[in-house]
Amino acid sequence: MIKPRVQIILLLALLAGFAVWWVLPRPAPPNPCDSLLPTEARVGVDFDITTEGIKVKFDPGVKRSPASQAALKAWLECQRRPVTLVNGVDFSAQPIGQLADSWKGDSDLRISLIPGADDRVLNNLKIGPAAGTKQEIIGEWCTSNSAACVKCTPDRLTEGTKYVEIELEPNPPAKPQKMAGTWAGSPAGVPLKPWQLVGATGERIFYVCASQ
């Protein structure tokens, strides 16, 4: 039988050990979202992860591949803590006209859609989902679409690009596709935006370039 004095000593030692464990830095529990983020996707991206939230800082001078952009977007969507993006954006799949409208007052990068033969298709070409700097996202989108669907000016974006013009190529191989979710419609008397295509049953529609 352990003597009372020994019991007290053991208890104090246990409490002291717990105090040391509590005070010293401990490794964070594994984050299941990290499996979505390949090592290559970390190139040019700094993560500051705390219990309060996550700060993601994009280096505009580093070019990330389309796979990296998609991986980063999936990783951001997986998080359940607040995420702050520095020098970058992330967004879901949407029409390019909608993105241009949301960036119209932006001093970082503005998009101008040049009217042409089929503004319905131009305004509703799909972009995203993506995560990264605005210049690399739009630059990659223009490159992947330029041969068949759009012409971008300038045709190569750099981190210093502040303005880009996008026009539709003649007879683009673009096909309509349903977007996720449904559209409640605009208030009575308010016309839909050019990038708000709605099907008969309330589904949103955008166009997908055959080269995507």
Side-chain angles (χ1 to χ4, degrees), residues 120-206:
R120 175 187 175 96
V121 172
L122 175 60
N123 275 277
N124 290 279
L125 280 173
K126 175 187 176 184
I127 183 171
T133 67
K134 293 180 179 180
Q135 287 79 5
E136 72 178 341
I137 292 173
I138 299 302
E140 175 59 37
W141 185 82
C142 287
T143 302
S144 65
N145 285 271
S146 60
C149 290
V150 298
K151 175 185 177 182
C152 297
T153 306
D155 58 353
R156 291 290 186 272
L157 277 67
T158 68
E159 61 181 281
T161 303
K162 302 296 184 183
Y163 178 77
V164 60
E165 293 183 343
I166 301 174
E167 57 185 309
L168 199 66
E169 293 282 17
N171 302 314
K175 303 297 182 183
Q177 183 181 94
K178 291 183 179 180
M179 294 175 59
T182 58
W183 179 249
S186 62
V190 178
L192 295 175
K193 301 291 186 182
W195 40 265
Q196 293 175 334
L197 293 184
V198 184
T201 57
E203 71 276 11
R204 285 284 302 277
I205 297 172
F206 46 31

Side-chain angles (χ1 to χ4, degrees), residues 15-119:
L15 291 174
F18 177 79
V20 171
W21 174 84
W22 183 260
V23 172
L24 290 179
R26 303 185 299 282
N31 185 348
C33 299
D34 288 347
S35 63
L36 301 172
L37 190 60
T39 303
E40 190 271 338
R42 296 178 182 270
V43 176
V45 182
D46 292 327
F47 299 96
D48 183 10
I49 303 176
T50 67
T51 55
E52 287 76 28
I54 303 170
K55 179 180 286 187
V56 181
K57 183 176 183 179
F58 294 95
D59 183 350
V62 176
K63 179 175 176 57
R64 282 164 286 274
S65 68
S68 294
Q69 295 178 24
L72 285 166
K73 176 61 180 172
W75 183 83
L76 290 168
E77 290 181 343
C78 180
Q79 301 302 320
R80 292 297 179 266
R81 287 171 287 180
V83 177
T84 301
L85 300 182
V86 181
N87 298 332
V89 295
D90 79 289
F91 53 84
S92 57
Q94 60 187 277
I96 186 66
Q98 181 175 339
L99 188 67
D101 184 73
S102 66
W103 290 0
K104 62 185 178 183
D106 199 326
S107 60
D108 185 23
L109 179 65
R110 290 188 298 114
I111 300 171
S112 178
L113 303 182
I114 307 302
D118 197 335
D119 295 339

